[in-house]
Amino acid sequence: MPKSYNEICQSAKYKLTGHGDRRIDALMECFEHMDPSMEADIYGTGGIINDFEKDIACFLGKENAVFFPSGTMAQQIALRIWCDAKGLKNVAYHPLCHLEIHEKDGMKILHHLEPTLLGTKDRLFNMEDLKSINKPIACLLVELPQREIGGQLPPWEELISISEFCKNGGIKLHLDGARLFEILPYYNKSAADICSLFDSVYISFYKGLGGIAGAMLAGRTEFIENAKVWKRRHGGDLISLYPYIVSAKHSMNKRIGNMGKYWQHALTAAERLNKIEGVSTVPEVPVCNMFHAYFDTTKENLESIFADIIEKYNLAIVRNIREIDNSICKSELSFGDSFELIPQEILHKAFEQLESEFIKLVEK
């Protein structure tokens, strides 16, 4: 039976994106220098979890923080708290917000909250969109960067205007900062600087950082104490979470200083792809370590082209391909440790072949 494209990608020695395959040895590496006599956390208490929560709260410039096994749980709870405090069920966010398209309507079904979608799917929402809301809302969620449109970011001045608008209007502002660390080089700001604009913040430890799983929700102490109650209600207080915490700390220490480098990798790859007729990126110039690439051909043809490159050069350029229509495909590229492991000669030849294949398509 022939291998699928995903299986072919998995077999490639080199990957253009990511930190490498998710293998169990990553967890073994995390525990390599741990004291085996250290006590585990129990139902959300213990030094290993509470000290980490304090450290992250300080890093984000917030009073307190609580560790969650998942960001989905953390964000739904954050919005529920703000809506209950305001006595409103309405929240606002981008049409391609994670809560809207990836969570099976969890916010609506579990918490009976109602979204107001701001702007259109193909761009960031702006102040004009915000001012056009014709009903009261309890909370506005801003995702930085906006993943589903290639990791785009608003100008810093726009963020300040959004924050002031919410404060003046009594609207709580929540940051979906799943990829917060990845945007620090672009804004040239600290995490605390960015988070100071928001009432609550969620960060992920497995996306750009490459941990196993886990998230942190941060804000004022009263908000976090309320979040802990909801965490228990959601079943988020596992008997112990220390494997996730050890992984989160290790991955953060290992990679948080590399975000500028990952961004440069994205800039290099996007520039090379945009030189190929029939290939383009969104944004054209990436503002963080990720972007979306568009290819003017069918999925079947594109998979064949990339599979041939893997066979010749052992390099997987893209690992996920989605067909938009019969003639355009899309892939998300997010850069990490893997890029630097690719020999430059292989990288150059692989892109040369990709360009050659698209020249043939244009000539047909």
Side-chain angles (χ1 to χ4, degrees):
M1 186 175 180
K3 289 183 179 180
S4 69
Y5 178 69
N6 286 338
E7 289 172 325
I8 294 171
C9 283
Q10 197 70 15
S11 68
K13 180 179 180 180
Y14 303 110
K15 309 314 197 278
L16 190 73
T17 59
H19 297 306
D21 297 330
R22 293 179 70 82
R23 300 184 187 277
I24 292 175
D25 61 1
L27 180 60
M28 296 168 68
E29 178 188 320
C30 296
F31 279 91
E32 217 168 45
H33 303 293
M34 293 295 296
D35 178 0
S37 66
M38 179 179 285
E39 292 186 4
D41 58 300
I42 299 177
Y43 292 121
T45 62
I48 195 169
I49 187 169
N50 300 143
D51 290 348
F52 186 50
E53 290 168 338
K54 290 175 186 175
D55 289 344
I56 296 299
C58 181
F59 185 77
L60 300 178
K62 296 300 181 187
E63 286 183 1
N64 214 333
V66 56
F67 188 88
F68 278 85
S70 84
T72 296
M73 185 186 298
Q75 294 211 105
Q76 288 185 22
I77 285 172
L79 298 186
R80 174 63 184 267
I81 291 170
W82 293 136
C83 285
D84 282 355
K86 189 77 174 179
L88 290 171
K89 295 294 184 182
N90 301 323
V91 299
Y93 49 58
H94 190 273
L96 297 181
C97 173
H98 194 279
L99 287 97
E100 186 67 16
I101 66 173
H102 290 304
E103 299 182 14
K104 304 294 184 183
D105 288 334
M107 180 192 78
K108 303 170 191 175
I109 294 170
L110 297 178
H111 297 284
H112 309 291
L113 304 183
E114 293 298 328
T116 295
L117 306 183
L118 296 179
T120 58
K121 292 181 179 181
D122 59 345
R123 64 170 175 84
L124 296 167
F125 68 75
N126 53 37
M127 280 299 300
E128 287 68 34
D129 298 314
L130 194 53
K131 290 175 181 177
S132 70
I133 298 176
N134 57 11
K135 60 183 175 183
I137 59 171
C139 181
L140 170 66
L141 181 149
V142 175
E143 180 184 353
L144 300 176
Q146 194 73 49
R147 175 197 175 185
E148 298 292 339
I149 53 173
Q152 295 184 48
L153 289 167
W156 179 249
E157 295 73 20
E158 177 103 348
L159 275 180
I160 293 174
S161 296
I162 289 171
S163 179
E164 290 175 349
F165 178 89
C166 289
K167 284 177 183 175
N168 294 335
I171 300 167
K172 294 299 182 180
L173 187 58
H174 173 75
L175 172 59
D176 179 339
R179 294 167 176 80
L180 171 65
F181 306 117
E182 292 92 310
I183 70 172
L184 302 185
Y186 176 75
Y187 283 129
N188 195 25
K189 304 287 184 183
S190 70
D193 288 338
I194 295 173
C195 294
S196 68
L197 302 178
F198 296 84
D199 297 291
S200 56
V201 179
Y202 141 70
I203 61 169
S204 169
F205 293 109
Y206 80 86
K207 293 184 169 69
L209 295 177
I212 299 172
M216 197 76 81
L217 185 63
R220 289 188 178 276
T221 296
E222 182 182 2
F223 169 82
I224 293 303
E225 290 304 314
N226 204 346
K228 289 178 181 179
V229 174
W230 276 105
K231 179 186 174 187
R232 177 60 62 93
R233 289 168 176 163
H234 273 251
D237 272 333
L238 309 188
I239 176 64
S240 290
L241 288 163
Y242 70 87
Y244 304 108
I245 294 160
V246 170
S247 171
K249 290 176 70 174
H250 175 81
S251 299
M252 189 169 178
N253 291 336
K254 182 178 181 180
R255 297 191 173 102
I256 195 163
N258 295 336
M259 295 303 167
K261 181 170 64 174
Y262 299 155
W263 180 26
Q264 288 302 315
H265 297 337
L267 288 167
T268 298
E271 182 180 17
R272 188 67 182 84
L273 288 169
N274 281 307
K275 290 179 180 177
I276 301 173
E277 188 174 357
V279 182
S280 60
T281 71
V282 174
E284 182 177 355
V285 179
V287 292
C288 63
N289 71 321
M290 73 173 296
F291 60 82
H292 288 176
Y294 289 82
F295 303 90
D296 295 345
T297 188
T298 64
K299 183 178 181 181
E300 181 181 9
N301 194 38
L302 191 61
E303 287 184 347
S304 176
I305 290 171
F306 282 127
D308 190 44
I309 291 173
I310 292 170
E311 184 179 348
K312 288 184 178 178
Y313 302 111
N314 225 348
L315 169 61
I317 294 179
V318 301
R319 289 192 259 181
N320 54 82
I321 297 173
R322 182 158 63 91
E323 196 166 49
I324 296 176
D325 58 34
N326 291 330
S327 60
I328 300 177
C329 291
K330 169 184 173 181
S331 183
E332 180 177 291
L333 287 79
S334 184
F335 291 78
D337 295 340
S338 296
F339 187 87
E340 282 190 325
L341 302 178
I342 308 167
Q344 285 300 303
E345 183 181 5
I346 286 178
L347 189 63
H348 179 68
K349 287 182 176 179
F351 274 109
E352 271 194 339
Q353 179 169 333
L354 179 62
E355 184 171 15
S356 174
E357 292 295 336
F358 269 84
I359 287 173
K360 292 176 189 176
L361 290 176
V362 172
E363 290 175 347
K364 281 185 179 180

